[in-house]
Every structure is written in C-alpha cells, then in structure tokens.
Amino acid sequence: MSYNRPAFRHPEAQKNDIGYTRKQYEGGISTLCAGCGHDSIVSAIITSFFEMSIPPHHVVKLSGIGCSSKTPAYFLGRSHGFNSVHGRMPSVASGANMANRELIYLGVSGDGDTASIGLGQFAHVVRRNLNMIYIVMNNGCYGLTKGQDSATADKGSKTRKGAPVSFESIDLCELAIQLGAGFVARGFSGDKKQLVPLIKAAISHRGFAFIDVISPCVTFNNAPTSTKSYSWVRDHMEVTNTFDFIPLRQEITTEYPDNTAVPVTLHDGSIIKLFKQEEQHIVTDRKDAIAAIEEARYNELLLTGFLYLNPDSEEFHDINKTVATPLNQLDEKTLCPGNKALAALNESLR
Amino acid sequence: MKPTDIKNPHYFHKVIDCQYACPAHTPVAEYIRLILHKHYTEAYMINWVSNVFPGVLGRVCDRPCEPACRRTRVDEEPVAICRLKRVAADNRDDVLGLLPKAPAQTNGKKIALIGAGPASLTVARDLSILGYEIEIFDDQTKLGGFMRSQVPSFRLPEEILNTEIGYITNLGNITTRTSHYVSDIRDLLAQDYDAVFVGCGAPRGRDLDLPGRAAGDKTIHVGIEWLAGVVWGHVEKIGKKVLVLGGGNTAMDCCRTARRLGGEDVKVIVRSPRAEMKASEWEIEDAVKEDIPIIENHTPREFVIEDGRLVGMLFDKVQPVYDENGRRRLEPTGEEPVFFACDEVLLAIGQQNAFPFIDENSGIEFTERGLPVLDPVTLQSTVERVFFGGDAAFGPANIIIAVEHGHQAAISIDLLCRGKNLHDRPHPQVKLAGQKLGFHDWIYDSHVTEDDRQQVPTVAKAKTLRDRLVEVELGFSQPTSKTEAKRCLNCDVQTVFDYTLCIECDACADICPTNCINFIENDEEAVLREQLIVPARNQSQDLYVSDTLPTGRVMVKDENVCLHCGMCAERCPTSAWEMIKFFYKSAQASQL
C-alpha cells in the first residue's frame, strides 16, 4: 500500500488566479477504503477552492468523528483545521466563527455525526444561520464501525447483509429547510459536474450553506438494493434545475437558453442561474421546496441540485450585531473597555 | 474515438518510451528493475540477447532511450539508462555458461560477412547459433571495426571490447579472417556463400580542401584515420597546440585523445552554433571538463603555412540565420578573419561511405548519394543474396543502430536460406504478468522517488590525461545504482482498464497525481485531447480509450505523464484497473 502520493504533478497543470496549482489545495493521502465516495467529495472540495482561487490559509476546516470527519486531513493541507468531538463540530465552528468572521468555515460531517449523535447541535447551528459551509458525506451507514444502519438510511433499503432498514429516515435537507437554512442542496459523490458548482455556490453564499452529498460506502453499503449505492443513485437521480454558477467577476457565458433562466444573486455578487424546465418547481420558495422533496421521495426518486435558496437571509453576526474586526486584531482597550463602560451597560439594562 | 486495442502489442510497447526509442528495443525497464534487486547477471543477459554488446553500449551508446525517457516529462533529467547498463556489465558473474552454443552440426549454409564491426558481429551471433557457418573478413588485425579503431580507450577499455567480441567468436561455427582485405566482392559472390553481408562501415573521413592543405599535409590529419593510428600504435604524440575541426562525437574523441598525447592547448572549432552541434551533450561536457574550449560560429578559411610549416588557421566568423521553415544558413558577419595558432589540425567534419571493393558490374546498385539501394525492412540489396547493415547501409549512425541492422539482416538471411518470403517476418514475443501481491501491494517497486539523476564518479583529471588507456568514468557503485534504478518509473508495468468492472466511483481520477485519467463523453480524438482535465497536447503520446461505461461516458487516459505509480489500481474498489507487466521482446533470427 502506498503511504505517499508521488510528488510529481502534470507539468502543464493549470494555475488559478492567485498562481496556485491544484497541488497547493491537496492534503495527505486518503486512508479510506478504495472507491469510497468521500474521496470524490474531497476531490470536489479541492477543485472548488482551487477554481475559486481562495488562498488555503483563508479556510478553516472542521469536523467531528467518523469516516467523513477524517477527510479534512486529505484536502487543503495548508488551511486551519479542527477535528472535534463526535457531533460537536457546530459548537467549535460557532466559536471560531465568532472570533474571526473573515475566514471561510467549512464543516465536514457524516450522517452519524450529524443525524444521530450530532442532531441537536446541527439543528441549532442551522437555526442560528452561522456563516459556514456544512457538507454531510451521507452514506447511510456507520462505515467506521462496520456498517450499521444510520439515521439517514431509507426505510426498506437493504445493505450488504440484505436486512431491510426498519426505521424511518431523517432527510437532512428537509430538516435544514424547516429550520431556516438559506442554502440547501443535494449532490452525489459520483457526479462532480454537479457537485463542484454546488460547493462553489455554497462558498459564495453568506449564511448557513448546507450540502447533503450521497456518498456510497463501497465496503458496507453499495449493494444495488441500497438507496445509497452507486447504481441506485444513478438510476433514481433527479435534478431540480440545471444551473450555472457564475462567480463574481467572471464573464457571463452560458450554454443554456437564457429566456428560461432565473438568476439568483448571492451576497458576494456571484449569480446562480437556474434553468427551469416544464413542471419543475422554483427552488426559491420554501413550501415548494419541501413539497418537491416529499414528492420525489414518494416516487422513489432522489432529488438533487439546489433544493432551496434564499440568499438574503441574515447570518449570525448580523443578528447579533457583533464586531466586524476579528477578535485577535482588537487591542486590549477595545476588548476591555473598563469599569465605566460596564457600568453604563448595566445602567442601560435597568 | 474507438476503444483502444490493447491486444495489439504495439500499443503497450509504445508506452515504454525508452524501449520503443531504442533501435534494438532492449527491455530497459525490465533490466533496470533487475539491477535494483542486484540481479546483475540476469540484467546483463537481457541486454546481451537484445543488444549484443552491453559492456560496450553501457559506456559509449548514443542513448536514444534517454531523451525519450518519460521521467524527462515530469522531472529535469532522464534515468541514467546507459550508465545502469554498465552497472550490470561491471557486476555480472561469469556468463560463459549462460551463453548459447552453436550446434555441432552446421545446417550446411555459409554466410560471408565483410567488415567486423557491430553489425557483422550481430549477424554472426544470430546466425551461428542457428547452425550457419560464418566467415568474417576484415582488413584490420583485430575484430571490432569502428568500436575498436575509433572509440578511444579512455571511454571504452580494450578488454571490455575483447571480452564481448570473444563471447560471439567462441559460439562456434565462426571463422575470422582478419588482415584480409576483400578487394572485389565478386570474388566472394563467385564462391559458394549462400549470402553475403556488407558491414564495412563508413570508413572515409572527409577532408578539407582549402589553401595550404597540401603544404601542411604532415601536420593535418583526418580525424578517424588519426584515431585509428593511435589505437594501432602508429601515432604516439601530437603537437602542443591542436585545432580540432568539427562538432560531432568524433571531434570530441579527437580533442580528448589529443589532450592525452601531449596536446596542451586543444580547441574545438565548429561552424554551427554550439547548441546545434551533432555531438552528444554529455560528450561535449566531458571535453569541456578537460579544458577544451568549444569555439562556435567559425568556418575555416585557410591553413596558414610559414616556412613550409603549418602555423595556424584562419576562420571567418559567421552567424546562423533561419528562414521561415526553420532551416539554418550560416551568414558571414563581415568581421576580419580570425587566426588561431596551432601545431597540428585534426579534421572531424564527417564520414563518408566508400565501397571501392564493389564493382558496378557486380549488380549491386547505388543511389546518387553513393549508398546501396536497399529494401529498408529486409536490408536486401539489388543482388538477392547481398545484404547491408550498420553505417554501410544508410550512412554514418551509431552502434545500437548497427546492432539492430544486424538482427534484421540475420532474419532476412535466415528467411532467404529457408526459401521463405523476406517480408513475412517473425513477430515479437510478448508476455503479460499481473503485479498484484496483496490487496494494495505490488510485486514491482511502485514508489516514485524524487532523487535527481546520480553523477558518475570519474578518475582525477590529472591522472587520466597522462594515460590514454585509463578509463575516465568509474561507473556507478552498487548503492548509487540502486538510487538511480529507483528513478525508473516502470513504464512497462501497464495500467490496464476493464470497463466491465468499473462502477465509475472516480477514485482513480481523484487519486491520479498527474491527472491522466478522465471520465468524459466520447468524441473525436482532437476534441477529446482538449477536453481532458489537463489537455493532452503531446501528440506523440496516445490516449487510452475504454468502451462505453453505464453512464454513457468513456474512460480516457492520457499516457503522456503517467507515473505508473499504481495509485489508480490501489484506489480501485473493483480491480477495474490492474497493473500488468508487459514484456516485449523484438523478434530475432534465433529466438534466444
């Protein structure tokens, strides 16, 4: 087994606007099973940050516990990282975000880390609309502990051993929409053409951006009878809208007929152009969004793409009117304004 | 694009850049791996079967393999293939017991070989072991041709050459007639030879007819004749100031030999810019290391004679001018001629073919350029049983090309003697061997090292300049050879893709360090090349295209900078990718 990836890269590898090649966005070599969907998501994350020309050291990657939560070791080797307690990544992300709002926060979690042990933390970080990207690598099983059904495994779906799942599943996207997230999308690790622009749009979105990525567990949950397998997802994938993500400053060129496009402008000026086709819903309406997910589920289909978009939601800092400057850049006098200021504050609350 | 036909041996052979570039198609990667594991004798024998003179070629080969080496496309310098070959030769055990033997009973066919250079000796080896009776004619006292008379001993010690020639002459059924000049080929054709092979080289050095040439004749020498004079002991010293004219490898051998025979101020003067000199880059470097300046863009004007004695030469300064087709012309700069003082001049401005022993009534036809009219594949001349090879065939080239000509001529002669069609040639031998050892482990050393090319140690300059017989290079030590051998990317271990097993999880495309692997919609080659993750613009390297996958896409791999690291196969959950060693052996008359 190789413990190192060869150091050589393609000599004609493309450089991005800040002069980096993909290599500067890579991390260590993956120790996940061969063919794990998570590795593909890692690759999509690398591609997204590379193509967006974001300096790796402007990124904070955070995770909990699980196969998914190991992956921050495999991308953006030169960014900040925190591998936290199981299901507690949102707390650490909140704290870090409060201290410095200038960095980009990328939380990586799994279905166990988010929908089981971390469901409470997840619900509240969505409610608070923390400005972060939250990616769930969703394989419907506990891969690290030999493949037990997770809370996102669909009822009736069969894993490798053939036993059908007996409990109702949690649809994290539906939950996130209900709890007020302004950016909810679903991707598939086997479709980077769709996943990369979703991640890029999530990076541009201000507020909580949630992406549920179906990521087959090749070892424990890739039987054709499993709704999280490569073959099932490919056969049942439905896309809400085809779309173009146009980052800020990029010339608008599109292959789709423009008259059907619904542009959604994100906070940083980037545009998501949604191309509506007949009988498809508009994802900027919360009611319709939830209905569409439910309808797809009823039809045994997996709805992917943008599920709900509300670019104008207020994020945690806006709601709390917190200071814009990172705390480590404030001098002592500003941080500790003294007794007089405290007294004045107390007085105002009487 | 249509799916790649990997059953055609040509496809994977081409992936092994070094072997493909080698005229004799020596299995380079295979013997480098053997050297890595200290199996020097086996490595030597693989070479011996393929190129007949591993010890010689491990020192003085023109190395077409090295510029072709895949490593140059990701790293600065190629694997030191030639020097590794020498390691196998230096460290081998006695191979006499491993060599084939000519059968005691001959097959009744007699073949005459004119000239005893690498081409003829190869024919002798390939045919003698099949039972042919071989007779080699050469006007020199010892065998070896150019390898002996023109390659100086400080690059190729005589005993190395003697040993490897001995391996051939001792096979049996070979009669050598040295100091025997064939003055008319018709004498041989009149005898009962079933075929005659002409491997007489390109023996004539070009002269330079300029004012003063005749008057200075005593101290003006034709390079290859002078080098031969040194080998045979006719020349023992040279003047202190020497000018060497010419920019090829013979010029480099002349100037370095001159330094060893008393030349203190030796200069090489070239008409062209230095960058366009014909000499191999490493031979130029070796000359420069011996304090020999290379003076470029000077064309000779006249030999300056004073009191009946050569005192120097006048040169015109020129500059290269390129037309729209990139063709070079040397234009005078109009400056005053430049004078270089000297005691002697060596002319190394090219070699020509000469066939004074072939009469026009022999039936052997020649082109306008004085070269024999040959079938380029069979090397057969216009006389059915006369074949040519080496420099005698298509003009001056190098040893490894001569060896390959020898192999091809031997195949042709064998087919002729058996009454077969000369164009119905034998096929290469191909072997496939899976490299899987465990779930994630390979038989071959897949790790890609980042070491730079290792330097070959040399004897101190002062010592080698005193004695022309002291070999300059010492060869790699075993530890150094190991480091160097590890630089080999194992391009013969092929990435083989089975589209029926692929689940399109992208793991291979994600892990590939050089982004060779793509899963995209099929299209024409030109379009596909541009649509890959990194566009495949090296047209000399093929695209490996699979059949259509369940999602309607195809796998397209650009072979260009594949490191053969095996990562794709390691990360593949279904073994759709496999690492399979492809062993390719060119056809020879005797399938050794």
Side-chain angles (χ1 to χ4, degrees):
Chain A
M1 176 162 179
S2 301
Y3 299 98
N4 290 304
R5 214 172 172 210
F8 295 114
R9 294 291 176 271
H10 200 300
E12 289 146 39
Q14 205 190 332
K15 282 188 176 163
N16 64 12
D17 292 344
I18 52 174
Y20 292 157
T21 63
R22 264 182 74 95
K23 193 178 182 182
Q24 277 79 39
Y25 292 83
E26 290 172 4
I29 193 168
S30 168
T31 55
L32 297 170
C33 306
C36 180
H38 297 3
D39 285 331
S40 271
I41 303 171
V42 163
S43 173
I45 291 172
I46 291 172
T47 305
S48 305
F49 280 90
F50 162 71
E51 289 181 358
M52 299 270 289
S53 297
I54 293 167
H57 65 278
H58 285 188
V59 182
V60 183
K61 49 185 186 181
L62 306 114
S63 66
I65 297 295
C67 293
S68 62
S69 296
K70 291 168 72 179
T71 63
Y74 317 141
F75 62 80
L76 301 180
R78 305 235 168 151
S79 63
H80 309 274
F82 200 113
N83 189 195
S84 77
V85 187
H86 206 355
R88 271 62 185 162
M89 177 266 282
S91 303
V92 180
S94 303
N97 193 315
M98 285 301 92
N100 186 348
R101 64 157 90 176
E102 287 181 353
L103 300 174
I104 296 168
Y105 293 87
L106 169 65
V108 174
S109 182
D111 38 325
D113 197 57
T114 292
S116 296
I117 194 170
L119 190 60
Q121 294 233 338
F122 174 70
H124 293 286
V125 76
V126 180
R127 279 184 59 243
R128 291 175 193 141
N129 203 13
L130 192 70
N131 185 15
M132 73 179 294
I133 307 127
Y134 193 118
I135 293 177
V136 170
M137 298 182 174
N138 187 351
N139 58 16
C141 72
Y142 301 144
L144 210 55
T145 54
K146 298 200 163 56
Q148 298 83 352
D149 300 336
S150 80
T152 63
D154 294 305
K155 189 173 178 186
S157 168
K158 288 176 189 164
T159 57
R160 196 174 67 158
K161 294 279 158 66
V165 176
S166 14
F167 302 122
E168 282 296 333
S169 69
I170 296 174
D171 187 315
L172 288 169
C173 288
E174 221 176 304
L175 191 60
I177 296 170
Q178 284 170 351
L179 292 168
F183 181 114
V184 179
R186 180 137 53 207
F188 169 46
S189 71
D191 186 357
K192 286 205 206 68
K193 224 169 151 178
Q194 181 194 53
L195 182 56
V196 169
L198 287 179
I199 296 174
K200 285 168 152 180
I203 295 169
S204 288
H205 175 76
R206 191 153 175 266
F208 192 77
F210 180 70
I211 310 177
D212 177 33
V213 188
I214 308 303
S215 172
C217 173
V218 280
T219 304
F220 297 111
N221 199 9
N222 193 31
T225 47
S226 161
T227 58
K228 299 281 191 286
S229 68
Y230 280 107
S231 54
W232 196 93
V233 175
R234 285 215 167 96
D235 291 345
H236 298 82
M237 212 167 130
E238 193 179 60
V239 181
T240 51
N241 303 98
T242 47
F243 61 91
D244 258 1
F245 171 68
I246 303 151
L248 181 65
R249 288 180 310 244
Q250 187 178 306
E251 195 188 344
I252 298 175
T253 53
T254 169
E255 293 165 20
Y256 301 102
D258 217 40
N259 52 359
T260 61
V262 180
V264 179
T265 307
L266 299 180
H267 211 274
D268 71 352
S270 307
I271 297 168
I272 299 167
K273 280 189 155 190
L274 300 162
F275 299 93
K276 195 166 110 40
Q277 281 152 23
E278 246 183 299
E279 292 179 26
Q280 283 188 329
H281 66 289
I282 300 176
V283 298
T284 46
D285 184 295
R286 199 157 136 176
K287 277 202 319 289
D288 286 354
I290 290 176
I293 296 172
E294 284 296 330
E295 195 187 326
R297 188 212 293 266
Y298 179 79
N299 294 328
E300 294 196 332
L301 291 172
L302 181 77
L303 196 60
T304 64
F306 286 110
L307 302 182
Y308 176 63
L309 270 177
N310 172 19
D312 300 322
S313 61
E314 278 197 310
E315 65 124 328
F316 196 41
H317 283 282
D318 302 332
I319 298 163
N320 282 304
K321 300 187 177 60
T322 49
V323 61
T325 318
L327 300 188
N328 62 359
Q329 288 166 32
L330 295 175
D331 58 20
E332 200 180 335
K333 207 177 150 217
T334 320
L335 282 167
C336 304
N339 264 337
K340 254 191 193 166
L342 180 64
L345 179 66
N346 282 338
E347 196 55 42
S348 73
L349 297 170
R350 273 182 219 284
Chain B
M1 281 180 80
K2 281 194 185 138
T4 304
D5 178 16
I6 56 167
K7 289 210 172 93
N8 180 350
H10 183 80
Y11 183 77
F12 283 147
H13 182 208
K14 201 176 160 202
V15 173
I16 318 171
D17 294 291
C18 47
Q19 185 177 6
Y20 190 70
C22 175
H25 304 309
T26 303
V28 176
E30 177 75 5
Y31 78 71
I32 289 182
R33 251 190 324 272
L34 288 168
I35 291 167
L36 174 66
H37 298 297
K38 297 191 170 189
H39 299 311
Y40 302 116
T41 309
E42 273 178 270
Y44 181 86
M45 286 310 294
I46 283 188
N47 271 285
W48 188 80
V49 167
S50 168
N51 56 47
V52 192
F53 303 101
V56 173
L57 291 166
R59 291 171 166 82
V60 298
C61 188
D62 244 26
R63 321 174 192 173
C65 52
E66 292 192 15
C69 175
R70 178 179 305 262
R71 186 129 189 149
T72 58
R73 302 202 288 273
V74 289
D75 196 1
E76 285 173 13
E77 290 191 276
V79 175
I81 300 169
C82 181
R83 293 302 173 260
L84 285 171
K85 189 196 301 289
R86 176 177 165 176
V87 171
D90 286 354
N91 294 282
R92 72 182 191 270
D93 300 326
D94 186 11
V95 298
L96 277 176
L98 301 172
L99 300 179
K101 290 216 166 38
Q105 192 69 42
T106 65
N107 65 2
K109 306 281 184 189
K110 272 176 72 178
I111 317 294
L113 313 177
I114 302 174
S120 287
L121 289 168
T122 303
V123 176
R125 188 199 75 172
D126 285 4
L127 292 182
S128 68
I129 45 188
L130 285 177
Y132 287 86
E133 214 176 304
I134 308 290
E135 234 176 305
I136 308 181
F137 299 90
D138 197 291
D139 61 346
Q140 297 184 346
T141 55
K142 290 177 183 172
L143 306 180
F146 177 96
M147 297 187 290
R148 184 180 300 279
S149 60
Q150 266 104 52
V151 180
S153 292
F154 56 84
R155 289 211 293 132
L156 173 60
E158 199 187 355
E159 69 265 24
I160 304 287
L161 186 60
N162 291 345
T163 307
E164 292 192 334
I165 292 173
Y167 288 164
I168 298 167
T169 52
N170 291 330
L171 292 171
N173 298 348
I174 298 174
T175 313
T176 55
R177 308 219 181 278
T178 49
S179 307
H180 184 125
Y181 179 65
V182 176
S183 56
D184 192 337
I185 196 167
R186 286 176 299 185
D187 298 344
L188 295 181
L189 293 174
Q191 295 173 47
D192 59 346
Y193 294 111
D194 295 281
V196 174
F197 176 79
V198 182
C200 61
R204 191 165 289 171
R206 276 177 60 184
D207 208 330
L208 188 61
D209 190 19
L210 287 178
R213 173 69 184 88
D217 189 47
K218 267 190 177 170
T219 45
I220 300 168
H221 315 280
V222 172
I224 59 167
E225 289 167 16
W226 182 80
L227 286 170
V230 173
V231 169
W232 304 115
H234 310 313
V235 177
E236 287 173 341
K237 59 180 192 311
I238 197 165
K240 285 188 176 163
K241 286 185 180 171
V242 181
L243 296 182
V244 177
L245 271 51
N249 286 336
T250 303
M252 298 303 110
D253 285 340
C254 282
C255 66
R256 295 179 68 196
T257 304
R259 283 286 280 134
R260 286 158 172 79
L261 295 189
E264 287 170 9
D265 173 8
V266 181
K267 293 185 182 76
V268 172
I269 311 216
V270 204
R271 297 172 65 222
S272 67
R274 176 168 167 169
E276 291 173 33
M277 281 168 66
K278 280 199 182 132
S280 312
E281 188 52 44
W282 54 90
E283 297 209 20
I284 299 173
E285 279 167 24
D286 288 344
V288 170
K289 274 184 209 153
E290 295 180 356
D291 316 316
I292 299 163
I294 312 277
I295 293 160
E296 59 178 359
N297 297 327
H298 281 66
T299 59
R301 185 187 176 96
E302 69 171 273
F303 297 97
V304 181
I305 311 289
E306 277 176 18
D307 303 329
R309 198 174 65 87
L310 176 79
V311 293
M313 280 190 76
L314 275 177
F315 294 87
D316 286 319
K317 287 184 81 170
V318 291
Q319 60 190 10
V321 180
Y322 300 89
D323 68 12
E324 64 272 21
N325 298 326
R327 280 238 291 270
R328 190 199 69 199
R329 214 172 57 244
L330 294 172
E331 263 186 12
T333 60
E335 290 168 77
E336 282 294 299
V338 187
F339 176 77
F340 288 106
C342 71
D343 301 317
E344 298 199 44
V345 172
L346 300 174
L347 301 172
I349 51 176
Q351 276 171 257
Q352 287 169 321
N353 288 78
F355 302 97
F357 57 96
I358 301 180
D359 189 275
E360 56 185 28
N361 294 323
S362 64
I364 301 169
E365 289 172 26
F366 286 85
T367 65
E368 282 171 13
R369 290 175 55 221
L371 293 167
V373 175
L374 299 177
D375 179 320
V377 175
T378 65
L379 302 176
Q380 191 177 36
S381 73
T382 49
V383 173
E384 192 189 25
R385 59 190 171 113
V386 177
F387 297 82
F388 284 72
D391 290 359
F394 306 108
N398 58 45
I399 301 174
I400 189 68
I401 288 177
V403 167
E404 177 57 11
H405 287 170
H407 288 316
Q408 294 307 325
I411 290 173
S412 300
I413 292 169
D414 182 45
L415 291 169
L416 180 79
C417 290
R418 291 193 286 126
K420 298 270 168 69
N421 177 359
L422 266 57
H423 280 277
D424 197 4
R425 303 181 82 74
H427 296 291
Q429 286 179 27
V430 173
K431 267 189 279 188
L432 294 170
Q435 297 294 295
K436 217 173 179 118
L437 195 61
F439 193 56
H440 291 300
D441 291 304
W442 308 113
I443 294 169
Y444 77 109
D445 187 12
S446 63
H447 180 63
V448 177
T449 66
E450 289 151 54
D451 289 304
D452 291 335
R453 184 179 167 112
Q454 302 296 296
Q455 297 300 313
V456 182
T458 53
V459 176
K461 190 163 78 183
K463 199 173 161 195
T464 67
L465 288 182
R466 266 203 304 274
D467 184 353
R468 70 171 180 89
L469 298 177
V470 173
E471 188 176 12
V472 174
E473 289 193 6
L474 291 167
F476 285 139
S477 66
Q478 290 190 9
T480 315
S481 73
K482 208 166 169 171
T483 311
E484 187 62 36
K486 276 192 177 171
R487 296 181 73 234
C488 175
L489 295 173
N490 301 291
C491 300
D492 60 339
V493 179
Q494 307 284 349
T495 55
V496 180
F497 183 73
D498 181 349
Y499 80 103
T500 61
L501 296 174
C502 179
I503 57 167
E504 299 177 69
C505 66
D506 278 359
C508 51
D510 292 337
I511 194 74
C512 178
T514 45
N515 298 118
C516 303
I517 301 170
N518 300 263
F519 289 87
I520 56 171
E521 310 282 319
N522 204 349
D523 214 314
E524 288 167 31
E525 177 165 357
V527 180
L528 274 186
R529 281 185 176 273
E530 283 305 310
Q531 285 180 347
L532 302 189
I533 303 169
V534 182
R537 299 199 174 125
N538 183 349
Q539 302 288 339
S540 70
Q541 294 284 320
D542 288 338
L543 297 183
Y544 180 1
V545 183
S546 79
D547 233 309
T548 310
L549 295 160
T551 59
R553 299 177 299 173
V554 287
M555 187 290 300
V556 180
K557 182 193 165 210
D558 177 12
E559 298 283 6
N560 185 21
V561 289
C562 169
L563 302 172
H564 295 256
C565 61
M567 287 286 180
C568 49
E570 261 180 50
R571 300 303 300 167
C572 180
T574 61
S575 294
W577 284 106
E578 283 211 74
M579 302 308 291
I580 294 181
K581 187 173 83 176
F582 176 79
F583 184 76
Y584 179 98
K585 200 169 130 192
S586 307
Q588 290 180 6
S590 53
Q591 297 288 14
L592 281 172

